[in-house]
Amino acid sequence: MAPTSVGISTPGPAQDNGPHQCLSLRRGSSSHQDVPRAHQNTKFHLPEDPKGKKENLNSERPTRVLTETRHSQREDQSLGKTTGLPTTKLAEKRQRTKTLFKKFNEMNWPLDIRPLNKTLVQDNKWKKTDETQEKRRSFLQEFCKKYGGVSRPQSHLFHMVSRIYVEDKHKILYCEVPKAGCSNWKRILMVLNGLAPSTYNISHDAVHYGKHLKKLDGFDLKGIYTRLNTYTKAVFVRDPMERLVSAFRDKFEHPNSYYHPVFGKAIIKKYRPNACEEALNNGSGVQFKEFIHYLLDSHRPVGMDIHWEKVSKLCYPCLINYDFVGKFETLEEDANYFLQLIGAPKELKFPNFKDRHSSDERTNAQVVRQYLKDLTRTERQLIYDFYYLDYLMFNYTTPFL
C-alpha cells in the first residue's frame, strides 16, 4: 500500500497541438513544489582515441577518459572571493587545494573488481540473480579496461562523489541515478539508518528535500577514500531512452514550480516559433520534440539537469569500482538481493509503489515508442549518440531507431 502523501492523480500526456499553438498546461495545481538542484559546473573533455586503434569505439565518438580542464567553477569562485584576505591566506588556501589534488592523484584506483561478500545470503533462490549480477559486473569491468584508458582519476574528487549517498551502519554507498528507482532507494537508506520504521511512511519531500541522508562529498579526503575502498558500492541504472522519457513526463507534463519557469520558458523561447505570450511567461506545455532539441543543442539556453544527465557523468562507473550493478528493469529482484548481501533486516523489502503521479502509466517500451514516433530517424539516432556510453557500459540494446 502506497503512502497517502505520494502520487497525484493526473490525465495522460498532453496532446501535440503543433509548434505554433499555445500549450499552457491546464492541470490541477500540485501539492508538491520542486526545489532546484545544484547544476554540475565542472568542465570535462572526453579525448577521442587516435583513429585506427582497435579499441576505438567509433572514430567520431569519445572514449571513457575523463580529464579535468580546470578546477570546478564553484572552487574558482570560492578562491576568487578571498580579495579581502591577506595574500598569505590566499596562497595557503591554494596550496591546500593543490595538496589535496596531489594526494588524490597518488591514490591507487585498481580496475579489478573485488568479489562480493555473499556470506549473509540465506537461501538458494538468488542463484539466477547472482549469476546475472556477476555478468554485469564483469561486463562493466571489461568495458572500462578496454575503452576507459584510466589508470587513476583526474577529475575533481568531490564532484565525482557528489551523487553518492552513505549509510554507515551497513557500510553502503549508493549512487543516485534519477528516474531509476532513486526515491525508493533513499527510503531504504533511511530505514537502514533508523530514521524511519517503514519505507511506506516516508513522503516524497522528506526523501528528496530533507537533510536526513549523508552524501560522500560531505566527508574529508580520508573519509571519502576509506569508504570507497571498504563499503559496498551500488549503482542502479535504466535504459537511457526510457529514463529520458520518464524524466520528461515527470517534469514537463505536470505542474511544476521549478522546471516550468526555469527550463520550460527557456526551451519554448528558443525552440518554438511564434510562441504565444502565455507559454513564454509560464513555461508550461513543452513538447517532447522541443525538449529533445534542447537536449541535443550544444548551445543550450539552460544547463543540464541530473534527471537526464548521463550515468557516466553522474556516477563515474569507470573510475569508481561499483560492487553491485542493478537495473530498473529488474529493480525489485536486484534490490532485494542486494539487501540480503548487506545483511538488512529480513522484513525490509524494496517498495514497489510509484513515487509520484501514481495514476500515470509507468514509462515502458510501449510508452517510449509513442513519444519517439514524432521524432525523425536522425533525431532518434542523435539521442542514442548522446547516451552512447551509457548504452555500451551497461549493455543495453540499441533502442528504437
Side-chain angles (χ1 to χ4, degrees):
M1 178 178 177
T4 56
S5 60
V6 176
I8 301 171
S9 179
T10 56
Q15 295 297 317
D16 183 353
N17 295 319
H20 306 296
Q21 299 291 328
C22 182
L23 295 174
S24 176
L25 203 64
R26 300 186 183 279
R27 292 179 179 167
S29 61
S30 172
S31 60
H32 168 72
Q33 300 231 339
D34 277 277
V35 178
R37 305 250 187 158
H39 297 302
Q40 305 295 339
N41 293 319
T42 306
K43 295 182 179 180
F44 302 94
H45 69 266
L46 293 157
E48 293 180 351
D49 279 347
K51 292 183 179 180
K53 278 192 176 183
K54 182 179 179 181
E55 290 83 1
N56 192 15
L57 299 178
N58 183 301
S59 61
E60 296 180 353
R61 286 172 176 159
T63 60
R64 189 68 183 91
V65 180
L66 285 171
T67 306
E68 187 184 38
T69 58
R70 53 175 299 209
H71 296 323
S72 71
Q73 181 176 331
R74 180 173 62 181
E75 182 179 82
D76 285 346
Q77 290 172 346
S78 66
L79 291 176
K81 289 179 180 178
T82 58
T83 55
L85 295 175
T87 305
T88 54
K89 289 189 176 182
L90 177 58
E92 288 173 1
K93 185 170 185 177
R94 286 176 173 165
Q95 185 57 44
R96 286 197 301 270
T97 301
K98 289 180 180 179
T99 301
L100 185 147
F101 277 108
K102 184 175 183 294
K103 286 182 179 179
F104 178 55
N105 283 330
E106 289 172 351
M107 291 176 180
N108 181 29
W109 287 69
L111 279 175
D112 291 337
I113 55 175
R114 62 184 180 186
L116 273 172
N117 181 1
K118 303 172 186 178
T119 58
L120 297 175
V121 178
Q122 298 174 350
D123 52 53
N124 296 321
K125 72 175 184 177
W126 302 107
K127 183 178 179 181
K128 185 177 179 181
T129 307
D130 177 68
E131 290 174 354
T132 300
Q133 182 58 217
E134 291 299 336
K135 288 178 182 177
R136 290 176 188 166
R137 281 161 33 97
S138 297
F139 186 92
L140 179 59
Q141 179 194 16
E142 291 305 313
F143 171 88
C144 293
K145 281 184 175 180
K146 187 174 183 179
Y147 300 122
V150 176
S151 59
R152 65 186 183 190
Q154 295 174 301
S155 306
H156 194 297
L157 168 63
F158 293 98
H159 173 79
M160 282 174 53
V161 301
S162 62
R163 305 295 342 152
I164 297 180
Y165 285 85
V166 180
E167 202 282 289
D168 284 315
K169 184 178 179 181
H170 295 82
K171 297 187 176 182
I172 301 168
L173 297 181
Y174 162 71
C175 188
E176 175 189 29
V177 176
K179 313 312 299 179
C182 70
S183 297
N184 283 335
W185 256 119
K186 285 192 273 189
R187 287 185 172 94
I188 287 285
L189 295 179
M190 290 176 71
V191 173
L192 289 173
N193 261 315
L195 298 170
S198 168
T199 56
Y200 292 93
N201 298 324
I202 309 172
S203 70
H204 179 88
D205 285 4
V207 166
H208 290 287
Y209 311 126
K211 303 297 182 182
H212 310 292
L213 298 172
K214 295 179 290 186
K215 286 188 177 180
L216 193 53
D217 62 352
F219 294 85
D220 61 15
L221 185 66
K222 181 180 179 182
I224 292 173
Y225 185 58
T226 299
R227 286 168 174 80
L228 283 174
N229 280 276
T230 59
Y231 283 23
T232 303
K233 301 175 291 296
V235 60
F236 278 71
V237 299
R238 186 177 187 177
D239 177 278
M241 202 76 81
E242 280 195 17
R243 181 171 164 251
L244 178 67
V245 172
S246 178
F248 172 79
R249 296 176 73 198
D250 181 27
K251 303 307 177 187
F252 295 102
E253 292 188 347
H254 296 273
N256 193 295
S257 61
Y258 172 62
Y259 284 91
H260 291 187
V262 174
F263 287 87
K265 288 168 69 172
I267 289 172
I268 290 172
K269 181 178 180 180
K270 183 166 185 179
Y271 306 107
R272 184 181 300 176
N274 305 317
C276 69
E277 186 175 352
E278 184 180 2
L280 291 171
N281 287 337
N282 60 32
S284 298
V286 170
Q287 298 179 41
F288 186 64
K289 193 178 185 76
E290 295 168 337
F291 174 66
I292 295 305
H293 287 173
Y294 146 80
L295 180 77
L296 301 175
D297 190 348
S298 60
H299 302 287
R300 299 184 191 95
V302 62
M304 282 293 290
D305 182 84
I306 61 170
H307 290 85
W308 45 86
E309 181 61 279
K310 308 161 192 175
V311 177
S312 56
K313 284 193 173 184
L314 291 173
C315 298
Y316 297 91
C318 283
L319 296 178
I320 297 173
N321 302 318
Y322 288 97
D323 303 295
F324 194 93
V325 180
K327 290 192 173 183
F328 186 83
E329 293 76 12
T330 52
L331 179 57
E332 285 186 64
E333 181 181 346
D334 292 346
N336 287 325
Y337 178 53
F338 181 78
L339 291 176
Q340 284 268 313
L341 288 171
I342 55 97
K346 292 181 181 180
E347 65 275 11
L348 181 60
K349 304 297 181 185
F350 193 82
N352 60 5
F353 60 80
K354 199 170 184 287
D355 186 55
R356 292 209 301 161
H357 317 309
S358 55
S359 64
D360 288 3
E361 181 183 5
R362 285 187 183 271
T363 302
N364 52 34
Q366 184 177 355
V367 170
V368 170
R369 288 189 185 93
Q370 292 300 311
Y371 281 81
L372 296 183
K373 68 180 183 180
D374 293 327
L375 302 182
T376 65
R377 182 180 179 84
T378 298
E379 288 168 337
R380 295 196 297 271
Q381 179 66 52
L382 288 173
I383 297 172
Y384 172 71
D385 292 345
F386 183 84
Y387 290 108
Y388 185 63
L389 285 177
D390 286 2
Y391 271 105
L392 287 183
M393 67 174 56
F394 298 113
N395 199 23
Y396 280 108
T397 57
T398 304
F400 320 89
L401 302 177

